Amino acid sequence: MTTSSPTADTGAELLPIATPARTRAALRTLIRPDRGLALTGIGILVAATAVGLLVQPLLGRIVDIVADGRPAGDLTLPVVLLVAVAVVQGLTTTLGLTRIARLGETVLARLRERFVERALNLPADRLERAGAGDLTARVTGDVARVAEAVRSALPEMARSVLAILLTLGALALLDVRFLLAALLAVPVQLLTARWYVRRALTLYADQRVANGAQQQQLLETIGGAVTVRGHRLEEQHTERSAGRSRKAVDLTMRSVNLVLGFYGRLHIAEYIGLAAVLIAGFWLVRDGAVSIGTATAAALYFHSLFGPVNAALVLLDDAQSAAAGLARLVGVTDLAEQPEPADGKPEAGKAAAGKPTAGKAAPASVPRQRIASSEAAVTVHAVSHAYGPGRPVLHEVSLTLEPGEHVALVGTSGAGKSTLARIVAGVQQPTSGTVTAPASTEEASVVLVTQEVHVFTGTLAEDLRLARPDATDADLRTALATVHALDWAEALPDGLATVVGEGGHRLDPARAQQLALARLVLADPALAVLDEATAEAGSAGARVLERSAEAALDGRTALVVAHRLTQAVAADRVVVLEAGRVVESGPHDELRDADGPYAALWRAWSGSRTTAPHP
């Protein structure tokens, strides 16, 4: 179960945050595969802590030997035992903490993998409503905070809790009255912990939201810097960024004051407990109930609790912060889980590859039926979509793509072309309506290539193999040759072994898009969806990309959102969208001569060119 996240005055509908119960359940699921490692690590730490508790009685024994005026030789055995205890405790503590750390790193890796997998499958419209800053804050700040807690807080917390429990037991063994005296500090400590937790959970959650809002504002301001300057909005955006930064700083200072108050209350508890143990020791020694050495051991036991108790309580700070971060991560993983269809039948496998995931099946976002392979490749039936109340984009759109047919989707900006393309590709769920696919494409991926193509950091060969990990170098060269990219690829400094992406060899937009088309060829889907895949290139680059796209789509069913109407000319059929509705459908020549919406688009486009292409 998740709860809606506050909007943090951004106007965005932030991604949800998991409830505490759901977060605990998710944590148990993450740990379950490594229960043996957890139990072994805790068992070794118990043994190490138990051995360490021999230090105080041995020191008390030394005090008794000295107080009784015994020979110096009597000190040999306790001193040797102290050295042995130190060696054994050091070895076992190291081994136990190593196993606990390994457990933490394994669980953290599992959490990261699950988060990335689920985040990649989030509905596109849901991400748009939340904004990039919220997801960025979770994938960076929240993951880092959980990682920090796993690496430092988890081992220390385990050791501290064990030390507290076993030390209290050792006090009881010396004399139960020592334990009762030490427990006088517990009410203050519990009240301190309760006071802190009640304030910290909400405060840290608010702090995460504020940081996400701050990042979102910075991304919007920097990403839209040209528009901001063009409309003279610098002062407005600067003030908005400053306001969200002030809110983040204010929450940070509140957390600092909270921690200072937390420490002050802990010092009071320490004073009460130690004073009680010393007073109890004085009375018991006076009455002859215990020796001076035993009273010394009791005082040392309580004093040794300062570190573990303070560590355990102070680690509540890290624990609460990590818990808030974990709840935000679990909220995303829960949001990405799609329910099975009502009829219980499995859905046809699809892979979204706009920022390519070609070759890896992803959960389909729309209801699907299996139909005979002799029927249409894809059928869109009465599909409607809205990005929010009162914001309809598509209105009962119906569309059929025959096997091997190339359909160009055209229309003015805002007509709903990209939304329909994403729905057909399966990366966005429609508000209503269905998309059906034939059984023959059950095992094949559906690949979406958009104008926003990401070049992953690594060698060119590794980037290509994202679409098909088992592809040979010959397969890679064939795919590049198909999209007319082999010449420039082999001309790179190290050929296919050239490092591209961030920090590597820079590829211009046209070449980056050719790389995406080559991945499409390697994935070899039955259905390809191109969403303005030539829009990022200039005029010359667009002509090259159109040739590349035509070659990549050869022999497969394709839906192409046409940025340039030359793509519509080459298509088998043109579908015109207007205000979210299909207003025309047919071959280019027929629609051009019909003097309808497409003819108007054609005249406007061809009239703006020096030499208008004419079939």
Side-chain angles (χ1 to χ4, degrees):
M1 179 179 179
T2 58
T3 58
S4 297
S5 183
T7 60
D9 73 7
T10 65
E13 181 186 342
L14 300 184
L15 297 168
I17 298 174
T19 62
R22 174 67 193 115
T23 303
R24 290 191 295 270
L27 186 59
R28 288 193 296 270
T29 301
L30 290 169
I31 294 175
R32 190 173 295 122
D34 297 291
R35 286 183 303 232
L37 183 62
L39 293 174
T40 304
I42 292 174
I44 295 173
L45 282 180
V46 168
T49 305
V51 170
L53 292 177
L54 295 174
V55 171
Q56 288 82 356
L58 288 172
L59 291 174
R61 178 63 178 166
I62 292 174
V63 170
D64 282 337
I65 291 172
V66 173
D68 294 341
R70 298 179 189 176
D74 290 353
L75 295 173
T76 302
L77 180 59
V79 170
V80 171
L81 290 176
L82 280 174
V83 174
V85 166
V87 173
V88 173
Q89 185 186 25
L91 293 175
T92 52
T93 299
T94 299
L95 180 59
L97 290 178
T98 298
R99 297 188 73 83
I100 293 296
R102 183 181 302 169
L103 170 68
E105 290 295 337
T106 302
V107 171
L108 179 61
R110 192 175 293 127
L111 172 65
R112 280 173 167 161
E113 291 169 1
R114 183 170 300 182
F115 178 83
V116 171
E117 178 186 359
R118 301 290 173 80
L120 289 174
N121 289 324
L122 284 175
D125 55 338
R126 185 65 184 86
L127 280 178
E128 289 174 358
R129 293 200 304 272
D134 188 29
L135 186 61
T136 301
R138 297 188 191 215
V139 81
T140 54
D142 291 322
V143 169
R145 186 54 59 92
V146 173
E148 181 183 353
V150 164
R151 289 171 181 150
S152 59
L154 177 62
E156 185 63 27
M157 176 69 85
R159 193 162 67 98
S160 298
V161 170
L162 289 173
I164 292 168
L165 295 176
L166 293 178
T167 301
L168 292 176
L171 276 171
L173 289 176
L174 291 179
D175 192 296
V176 71
R177 286 168 285 189
F178 285 126
L179 174 62
L180 295 176
L183 292 179
L184 291 177
V186 172
V188 179
Q189 292 167 335
L190 291 179
L191 288 173
T192 298
R194 183 186 178 196
W195 172 84
Y196 175 76
V197 169
R198 291 178 62 181
R199 289 161 176 78
L201 189 59
T202 302
L203 178 59
Y204 285 124
D206 290 344
Q207 193 174 2
R208 294 285 180 277
V209 171
N211 288 338
Q214 182 187 31
Q215 288 197 35
Q216 175 66 27
Q217 181 61 47
L218 291 174
L219 287 171
E220 290 178 352
T221 300
I222 295 172
V226 174
T227 303
V228 170
R229 287 195 296 268
H231 290 274
R232 299 295 188 269
L233 298 174
E234 295 94 336
E235 183 176 347
Q236 178 182 345
H237 274 256
T238 300
E239 179 56 34
R240 193 177 300 168
S241 298
R244 290 176 184 168
S245 296
R246 283 193 297 270
K247 184 172 183 180
V249 170
D250 177 64
L251 289 170
T252 300
M253 293 307 301
R254 284 174 55 190
S255 68
V256 169
N257 291 330
L258 182 66
V259 171
L260 291 175
F262 179 65
Y263 278 112
R265 286 166 171 79
L266 288 184
H267 293 326
I268 294 174
E270 290 173 357
Y271 174 80
I272 292 173
L274 184 57
V277 170
L278 290 173
I279 292 171
F282 171 78
W283 285 340
L284 292 173
V285 170
R286 187 187 62 179
D287 295 341
V290 300
S291 67
I292 295 176
T294 301
T296 302
L300 291 174
Y301 268 137
F302 187 82
H303 188 273
S304 71
L305 283 174
F306 285 8
V309 168
N310 287 349
L313 293 177
V314 168
L315 285 174
L316 286 173
D317 181 64
D318 292 335
Q320 291 301 315
S321 183
L326 183 60
R328 284 161 55 82
L329 297 178
V330 174
V332 172
T333 62
D334 284 352
L335 180 65
E337 291 179 348
Q338 297 294 333
E340 292 186 0
D343 59 7
K345 296 179 181 180
E347 298 175 335
K350 301 187 68 167
K355 289 188 178 180
T357 56
K360 179 178 179 182
S365 299
V366 289
R368 296 193 170 276
Q369 303 171 0
R370 295 178 182 175
I371 57 179
S373 59
S374 60
E375 295 188 34
V378 176
T379 299
V380 178
H381 178 67
V383 163
S384 297
H385 187 73
Y387 287 107
R391 297 173 57 196
V393 178
L394 298 176
H395 305 272
E396 297 190 347
V397 173
S398 294
L399 175 66
T400 299
L401 280 74
E402 300 295 339
E405 184 182 24
H406 290 185
V407 174
L409 203 58
V410 303
T412 58
S413 178
K417 305 184 297 298
S418 293
T419 300
L420 180 58
R422 290 200 295 254
I423 289 174
V424 171
V427 300
Q428 188 159 306
Q429 190 173 18
T431 304
S432 62
T434 60
V435 177
T436 61
S440 61
T441 64
E442 178 183 347
E443 300 301 328
S445 62
V446 176
V447 174
L448 169 67
V449 179
T450 72
Q451 60 180 318
E452 298 176 357
V453 176
H454 183 71
V455 178
F456 292 86
T457 301
T459 67
L460 184 65
E462 290 170 342
D463 204 303
L464 288 166
R465 286 195 176 97
L466 290 171
R468 203 173 89 205
D470 60 348
T472 65
D473 285 351
D475 295 331
L476 303 185
R477 288 187 171 86
T478 299
L480 289 168
T482 300
V483 298
H484 311 293
L486 184 59
D487 289 343
W488 65 256
E490 291 187 329
L492 293 175
D494 298 310
L496 296 182
T498 301
V499 175
V500 295
E502 186 175 354
H505 187 88
R506 184 181 178 278
L507 300 181
D508 61 38
R511 289 183 174 182
Q513 196 64 266
Q514 283 183 309
L515 186 58
L517 292 171
R519 284 193 290 250
L520 184 152
V521 173
L522 287 167
D524 193 24
L527 173 64
V529 180
L530 270 59
D531 184 7
E532 297 191 349
T534 66
E536 291 297 310
S539 298
R543 287 192 289 271
V544 171
L545 285 181
E546 285 174 12
R547 291 176 55 236
S548 299
E550 184 178 353
L553 299 179
D554 185 41
R556 65 183 96 252
T557 307
L559 178 65
V560 179
V561 177
H563 174 68
R564 296 162 57 87
L565 290 190
T566 49
Q567 295 171 294
V569 175
D572 300 314
R573 181 158 51 100
V574 179
V575 173
V576 183
L577 276 183
E578 195 171 276
R581 293 181 171 84
V582 175
V583 294
E584 278 189 310
S585 177
H588 162 76
D589 290 344
E590 178 182 313
L591 296 183
R592 185 197 59 201
D593 296 337
D595 200 25
Y598 180 76
L601 288 172
W602 176 258
R603 287 194 298 269
W605 183 79
S606 59
S608 66
R609 301 174 59 81
T610 305
T611 304
H614 194 82

